[in-house]
Structure formats: structure tokens, C-alpha cells
């Protein structure tokens, strides 16, 4: 057996018995959303009323579950298929216009720019590889 090798045990991602039992109990007996709603409304929990801070925390937690994070929303920016650096330049130009016109957020513009930059790097690498291959081919005279 190679040094440092580990055989047997649980598969990666499989919880241990205690964690599995805890999750099963929570799933069968607990109502975390109902509990947070109860706190948010200021209803007594175990005989005590929740503080204003606890109620605000519950409201924020529930709001985060109901309203998706804006950073994860799809970006409404349509661009033509990129097949050359000129296409990428045109897309960046349209992106700058959309950003300047207030049609997209700066964070969205960064995400799109990152994608276009990735395309340009891949294009450049492929182009250099093709040029090197052409230079390495023996010339027949």
C-alpha cells in the first residue's frame, strides 16, 4: 500500500452517523421557516418574546430566502457569437455603451468583460499554437 493511501471508510460526502441522525430529526420534527416566522411576528418562543434584534434577524433571513441574490440574476446583455478578436472588440464596445447608458450594472459589466477576456486569451493561444505548428513544418523546396 502506497504511503499516505487511505482505503475503506465512508465515501466522500457521506455524513457520519451522528450527522445523519441529526439531519433526519430536523427534517422530521423541525420547522425552521415556521420558527423564523414566529420570531419575526414577535410571538412568544418557549414563553419569551423575541427581542427587536432577533425579529430583525429573522426578517433578514426570511427575506434572503425569498428574494434571490441580485448578483446571481441572469444578465440581460445580448451579443453576437465571438469568432474573432474583432467580434470581441465590438462586444466590448456595446458593453461600454450599455454600461454608460445605465442599462447594466458595473458588476455585470465586469462579469461580461471577464468572459470576453477569457475568449480572447483562448483565441490568442490557439493562434500562437497554429503559427508555431506552421513554423515547425519542414519546408519542401
Amino acid at each position: 500500500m502506497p504511503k499516505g493511501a487511505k482505503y475503506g471508510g465512508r465515501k466522500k460526502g457521506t455524513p457520519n452517523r451522528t450527522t445523519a441522525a441529526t439531519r433526519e430529526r430536523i427534517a422530521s420534527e423541525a420547522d425552521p421557516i415556521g420558527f423564523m416566522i414566529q420570531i419575526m411576528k414577535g410571538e412568544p418562543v418557549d414563553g419569551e418574546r423575541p427581542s427587536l434584534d432577533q425579529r430583525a434577524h429573522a426578517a433578514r433571513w426570511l427575506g434572503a430566502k425569498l428574494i434571490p441574490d441580485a448578483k446571481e440574476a441572469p444578465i440581460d446583455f445580448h451579443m453576437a457569437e465571438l469568432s474573432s478578436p474583432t467580434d470581441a472588440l465590438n462586444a466590448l464596445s456595446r458593453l461600454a455603451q450599455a454600461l454608460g447608458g445605465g442599462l447594466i450594472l458595473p458588476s455585470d459589466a465586469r462579469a461580461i468583460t471577464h468572459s470576453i477576456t477569457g475568449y480572447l486569451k483562448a483565441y490568442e493561444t490557439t493562434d500562437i499554437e497554429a503559427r508555431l505548428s506552421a513554423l515547425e513544418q519542414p519546408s519542401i523546396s
Side-chain angles (χ1 to χ4, degrees):
M1 175 163 33
K3 187 175 181 176
K6 182 179 175 186
Y7 293 98
R10 294 186 314 271
K11 291 182 181 177
K12 188 173 184 176
T14 303
N16 63 30
R17 273 183 258 149
T18 304
T19 302
T22 302
R23 288 179 181 168
E24 185 177 321
R25 184 171 178 196
I26 289 170
S28 66
E29 297 178 24
D31 180 14
I33 294 175
F35 177 73
M36 294 301 267
I37 291 171
Q38 186 179 357
I39 290 174
M40 187 183 74
K41 288 181 175 180
E43 297 173 2
V45 178
D46 293 334
E48 293 185 31
R49 289 203 172 275
S51 69
L52 186 58
D53 186 48
Q54 291 170 323
R55 292 176 67 188
H57 175 75
R60 281 192 305 274
W61 186 85
L62 287 167
K65 297 298 175 195
L66 295 173
I67 302 167
D69 189 3
K71 290 185 271 184
E72 297 299 321
I75 299 171
D76 187 21
F77 180 76
H78 302 285
M79 62 181 175
E81 181 180 338
L82 301 178
S83 58
S84 71
T86 304
D87 293 341
L89 180 63
N90 291 337
L92 286 171
S93 175
R94 287 191 54 241
L95 179 64
Q97 290 173 352
L99 179 62
L103 300 175
I104 60 172
L105 298 172
S107 59
D108 294 341
R110 275 191 297 278
I112 296 168
T113 300
H114 183 73
S115 177
I116 294 170
T117 302
Y119 166 78
L120 285 170
K121 286 180 182 178
Y123 185 91
E124 180 181 4
T125 302
T126 305
D127 184 53
I128 290 171
E129 184 180 331
R131 290 178 184 205
L132 282 174
S133 293
L135 288 172
E136 290 173 352
Q137 294 296 323
S139 61
I140 302 175
S141 304

